[in-house]
């Protein structure tokens, strides 16, 4: 609260006071202009809540209803005393209104208590208004009754407001939204706060009965589970009815639902239901469609490669239908099961659909497994660095064969890369070796049907050869050795010829390089020449 007075010259001190209801002043704070010192009076209700600034503005924290008083700022000089009053008004908004003691339902034809609208701790007090679907409700004899109660807390001085509503419900009040609103004063004017909406179940008597058929689809197929539901339009609806299946004269007592499980084609006909007093009978017609499919053989079938399998798929239905085949979820024409191969393995599905009936379809499956002994193929290639060679194996068979490869030089198992599938029960892997001498690689492929062993000769000499299966490229290595031996013999003859030796040596060196380009690298040819020279010596 600013002092409201301009600070006068030759000011001695300033004081704040408030006036009691009887006009008695109560001083609360003072500040000496001479000593530049602030002091506060021992007033219990303001202890710790006051702060007086240098310009004599008084701050009150944690406002209370009791702070609504007339405060006066006094400025005292040697010649005069100046006073400036300030009237404090305190406002507190109420809590958001809440409708309590709501009923679970309202009945037509009588007054029902809708609830009590409560808004707590307001200052000053406010007003509560009831609404239905956004429109104000006013009291109407024997239709709408509103009572209003206000109470003030003697300790805090805050107001508690409460209003109760009684209402004559009709069927038009189904899904109607009831609410209440509290309007109260704040410094900037009138403010409103609205409660949550309240919707009530409206009870009224039954006037009509209907029967419904609940099924998984629009049309009913044989084997479905369906439910007949008898409904009375009252609220709450009737809980017991009489049901009359086709050909049944006496009703069967049941709840609002009558389940029929695994319905068959002979259950078609008229179904009826009524109230227990046999009034208000309702009826409906149920038609059951059917479809049968026969696949021979079916399930899991295991055959060996090259075998023949006889398969038939036949449909029987209430209407004309055809069958379709799928393999591994892809459509195909009539499959052939003659001279079976690995690619014939898979999941075969024979399916038929009664298109006129939603969801009426049948499917039978045949899981064909084609087995066979392992078939193993080996090949090799020289790596680009000339120091390593790669052994490649391809294995075919089912169940999937396990392949192990060993070196005949030391009998150890060789590490291989992970097998990669090639399709149709074929797999491939690689073995990378750096042979320091001629070795023979032996690989074994085995499953529960049999075993196959293949070997491959691998030379330590670097001779770029074609990737050939089963070690046949070793024959080319032997031919290379023979050619190199002839060349070395010619070189020895040239030594005896003197100058002809030098000329022949030059030509032979050129020829040796030419052969080396075709049969291997220079380092490997030199090693082979030295071996042959020692042999002839």
């Amino acid at each position: 609260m600013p002092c409201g007075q301009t600070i006068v010259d030759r000011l001695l001190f300033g004081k704040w006071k408030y006036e009691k209801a009887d006009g008695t002043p109560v001083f609360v704070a003072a500040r000496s202009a001479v000593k530049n010192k602030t002091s506060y009076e021992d007033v219990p209700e303001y202890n710790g809540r006051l702060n007086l600034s240098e310009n004599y503005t008084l701050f009150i924290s944690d406002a209370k209803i009791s702070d609504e008083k007339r405060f006066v700022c006094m400025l005292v000089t040697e010649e005069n005393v100046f006073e400036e009053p300030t009237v404090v008004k305190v406002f507190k908004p109420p809590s958001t209104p809440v409708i309590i003691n709501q009923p679970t339902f309202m009945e037509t034809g009588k007054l029902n208590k809708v609830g009590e609208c409560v808004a707590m701790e307001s200052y000053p007090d406010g007003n509560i208004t009831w609404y239905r679907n956004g429109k104000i409700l006013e009291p109407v004899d024997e239709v709408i009754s509103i009572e209003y109660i206000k109470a003030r807390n003697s300790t805090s001085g805050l107001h508690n407001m409460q209003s109760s509503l009684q209402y004559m419900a009709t069927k038009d009040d189904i899904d109607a939204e009831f609410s209440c609103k509290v309007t109260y004063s704040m410094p900037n004017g009138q403010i409103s706060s609205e409660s949550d909406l309240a919707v009530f179940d409206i009870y009224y008597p039954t006037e009509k009965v209907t029967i419904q058929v609940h099924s998984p689809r629009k049309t009913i197929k044989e084997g479905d589970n369906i439910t007949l539901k008898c409904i009375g339009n009252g609220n709450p609806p009737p809980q017991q009815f009489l049901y009359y299946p086709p050909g049944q004269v006496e009703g069967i007592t049941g709840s609002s639902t009558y389940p029929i499980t695994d319905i068959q084609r002979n259950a078609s006909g008229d179904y009826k239901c009524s109230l227990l007093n046999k009034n208000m009978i309702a009826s409906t017609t149920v038609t059951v469609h059917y479809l049968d499919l026969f696949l021979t053989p079916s399930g899991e079938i295991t055959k060996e490669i090259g075998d023949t399998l006889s398969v038939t798929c036949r449909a029987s239905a209430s209407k004309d239908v055809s069958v379709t085949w799928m393999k591994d979820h892809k459509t195909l024409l009539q499959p052939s099961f003659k001279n079976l191969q690995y690619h014939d393995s898979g999941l075969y599905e024979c399916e038929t659909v009664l298109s006129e009936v939603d969801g009426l379809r049948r499917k039978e499956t045949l899981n064909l497994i084609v087995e066979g002994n392992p078939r193993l193929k080996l090949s090799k290639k020289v790596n680009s660095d000339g120091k390593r060679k790669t052994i490649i194996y391809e294995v075919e068979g089912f169940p999937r064969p396990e392949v192990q490869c060993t070196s005949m030089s030391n009998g150890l198992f060789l590490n291989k890369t992970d097998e990669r599938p090639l399709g149709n029960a074929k797999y491939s892997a690689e073995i990378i070796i750096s042979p320091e001498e001629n070795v023979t690689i032996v690989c074994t492929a085995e499953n529960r049907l049999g075993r196959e062993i293949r070997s491959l000769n691998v030379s330590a000499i670097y001779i770029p050869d074609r990737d050939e299966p089963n070690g046949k490229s070793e024959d080319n290595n032997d031919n290379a050795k023979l050619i190199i031996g002839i060349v070395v013999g010619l070189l020895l003859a040239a030594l005896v010829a003197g100058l002809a030796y030098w000329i022949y040596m030059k030509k032979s060196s050129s020829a040796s390089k030419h052969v080396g380009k075709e049969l291997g690298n220079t380092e490997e040819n030199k090693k082979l020449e030295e071996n042959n020279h020692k042999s002839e010596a």
Side-chain angles (χ1 to χ4, degrees):
M1 293 178 288
C3 182
Q5 282 282 350
T6 303
I7 304 303
V8 297
D9 295 333
R10 292 180 294 178
L11 178 65
L12 296 177
F13 59 88
K15 279 191 172 185
W16 276 91
K17 65 180 180 180
Y18 70 84
E19 298 174 351
K20 292 184 177 180
D22 59 2
T24 304
V26 178
F27 289 94
V28 294
R31 180 177 177 80
S32 171
V34 177
K35 296 181 180 181
N36 196 25
K37 182 179 179 181
T38 302
S39 61
Y40 300 97
E41 300 294 336
D42 185 16
V43 180
E45 64 177 311
Y46 287 106
N47 285 343
R49 295 202 296 135
L50 300 180
N51 184 26
L52 184 59
S53 68
E54 292 182 358
N55 63 357
Y56 298 93
T57 298
L58 182 64
F59 295 89
I60 303 177
S61 62
D62 190 20
K64 303 179 183 298
I65 299 300
S66 58
D67 293 330
E68 189 169 275
K69 300 182 179 74
R70 184 177 184 269
F71 287 82
V72 179
C73 176
M74 301 173 57
L75 298 179
V76 180
T77 66
E78 291 180 353
E79 297 84 10
N80 206 348
V81 176
F82 300 91
E83 292 189 354
E84 186 70 27
T86 300
V87 177
V88 175
K89 301 292 290 183
V90 179
F91 296 85
K92 183 186 181 300
S95 62
T96 302
V98 178
I99 301 176
I100 62 174
N101 299 326
Q102 299 181 30
T104 56
F105 62 89
M106 291 195 294
E107 296 183 64
T108 59
K110 73 175 193 176
L111 279 175
N112 300 268
K113 185 175 182 179
V114 175
E116 298 167 358
C117 182
V118 177
M120 307 295 288
E121 298 183 336
S122 169
Y123 190 86
D125 64 353
N127 294 306
I128 294 178
T129 307
W130 284 93
Y131 292 83
R132 176 189 177 277
N133 291 339
K135 295 183 179 180
I136 296 177
L137 290 175
E138 299 287 353
V140 177
D141 289 343
E142 299 182 358
V143 177
I144 300 175
S145 175
I146 300 175
E147 293 184 4
Y148 193 73
I149 300 175
K150 292 184 179 180
R152 185 172 184 179
N153 188 302
S154 59
T155 302
S156 65
L158 299 176
H159 297 275
N160 295 328
M161 296 166 284
Q162 177 177 312
S163 177
S164 61
L165 171 64
Q166 287 186 307
Y167 182 81
M168 176 80 74
T170 68
K171 290 178 68 174
D172 293 336
D173 292 308
I174 296 174
D175 297 329
E177 297 173 339
F178 291 84
S179 64
C180 65
K181 181 186 294 184
V182 60
T183 303
Y184 53 93
S185 297
M186 291 298 286
N188 56 345
Q190 293 289 309
I191 304 296
S192 296
S193 178
E194 190 169 358
S195 70
D196 291 336
L197 299 176
V199 180
F200 303 98
D201 197 6
I202 307 299
Y203 281 10
Y204 50 89
T206 297
E207 298 173 353
K208 183 180 179 181
V209 172
T210 57
I211 186 171
Q212 298 176 351
V213 179
H214 291 258
S215 68
R217 51 196 56 80
K218 293 180 180 179
T219 51
I220 301 170
K221 66 181 181 65
E222 191 172 44
D224 279 349
N225 296 330
I226 71 169
T227 301
L228 301 179
K229 186 174 181 64
C230 203
I231 303 171
N233 67 346
N235 190 33
Q239 297 301 307
Q240 285 192 314
F241 296 88
L242 292 177
Y243 290 90
Y244 304 86
Q248 186 85 27
V249 177
E250 293 297 326
I252 301 173
T253 303
S255 66
S256 59
T257 58
Y258 183 81
I260 303 175
T261 59
D262 191 24
I263 193 168
Q264 299 300 308
R265 60 196 72 178
N266 57 2
S268 298
D270 291 334
Y271 289 80
K272 300 177 182 179
C273 77
S274 71
L275 297 177
L276 293 181
N277 58 10
K278 299 185 179 181
N279 289 334
M280 306 179 192
I281 296 178
S283 67
T284 187
T285 301
V286 174
T287 302
V288 181
H289 296 271
Y290 66 93
L291 177 63
D292 300 321
L293 183 66
F294 306 95
L295 174 62
T296 306
S298 61
E300 185 175 299
I301 301 297
T302 301
K303 303 293 288 184
E304 291 192 10
I305 191 167
D307 285 353
T308 297
L309 178 64
S310 176
V311 178
T312 59
C313 186
R314 179 176 58 86
S316 173
S318 53
K319 294 188 177 182
D320 291 337
V321 293
S322 60
V323 299
T324 57
W325 282 93
M326 299 183 72
K327 180 189 177 189
D328 297 329
H329 309 295
K330 294 182 180 179
T331 304
L332 75 162
L333 300 176
Q334 178 70 32
S336 174
F337 297 95
K338 296 180 180 179
N339 190 22
L340 294 174
Q341 301 298 315
Y342 291 121
H343 62 78
D344 293 318
S345 294
L347 180 65
Y348 290 85
E349 298 171 305
C350 178
E351 185 176 27
T352 184
V353 178
L354 191 57
S355 57
E356 293 84 354
V357 182
D358 183 29
L360 185 53
R361 60 178 62 228
R362 293 286 184 268
K363 180 190 295 185
E364 296 290 338
T365 60
L366 167 63
N367 187 15
L368 177 60
I369 300 174
V370 178
E371 296 183 338
N373 294 333
R375 292 290 181 265
L376 183 62
K377 183 189 299 183
L378 302 180
S379 62
K380 63 182 178 178
K381 65 179 180 181
V382 179
N383 292 13
S384 58
D385 59 8
K387 298 179 181 180
R388 295 180 299 172
K389 295 190 177 184
T390 299
I391 312 302
I392 306 166
Y393 76 73
E394 291 184 6
V395 64
E396 180 183 42
F398 192 87
R400 181 174 177 171
E402 182 176 346
V403 179
Q404 291 184 333
C405 295
T406 59
S407 171
M408 294 297 292
S409 62
N410 54 23
L412 297 178
F413 290 109
L414 300 176
N415 293 328
K416 61 183 180 180
T417 62
D418 292 337
E419 289 186 343
R420 58 186 180 90
L422 303 178
N424 296 328
K426 276 188 178 182
Y427 302 89
S428 176
E430 296 180 350
I431 301 169
I432 300 176
I433 61 174
S434 300
E436 297 179 356
E437 59 182 358
N438 296 345
V439 296
T440 299
I441 304 302
V442 178
C443 294
T444 303
E446 183 175 9
N447 63 14
R448 61 179 175 80
L449 298 179
R451 173 192 299 178
E452 182 162 276
I453 302 174
R454 293 289 182 187
S455 64
L456 183 67
N457 296 322
V458 181
S459 172
I461 300 174
Y462 173 54
I463 301 177
D465 50 2
R466 297 187 302 271
D467 297 339
E468 298 183 29
N470 300 324
K472 291 184 179 179
S473 60
E474 290 299 324
D475 295 335
N476 294 336
N477 289 341
D478 295 336
N479 293 333
K481 292 178 180 178
L482 178 61
I483 294 172
I484 294 172
I486 295 172
V487 174
V488 172
L490 292 174
L491 290 176
L492 292 174
L495 288 174
V496 183
L499 180 61
Y501 163 77
W502 181 85
I503 298 172
Y504 187 80
M505 183 63 182
K506 184 177 181 180
K507 293 180 180 180
S508 299
S509 176
S510 174
S512 176
K513 291 179 181 179
H514 176 71
V515 173
K517 290 179 182 178
E518 294 180 352
L519 303 178
N521 63 38
T522 305
E523 291 298 322
E524 288 186 334
N525 288 333
K526 285 182 180 180
K527 290 180 181 180
L528 187 57
E529 288 172 0
E530 289 173 2
N531 292 336
N532 290 335
H533 179 70
K534 291 178 181 179
S535 176
E536 289 189 3

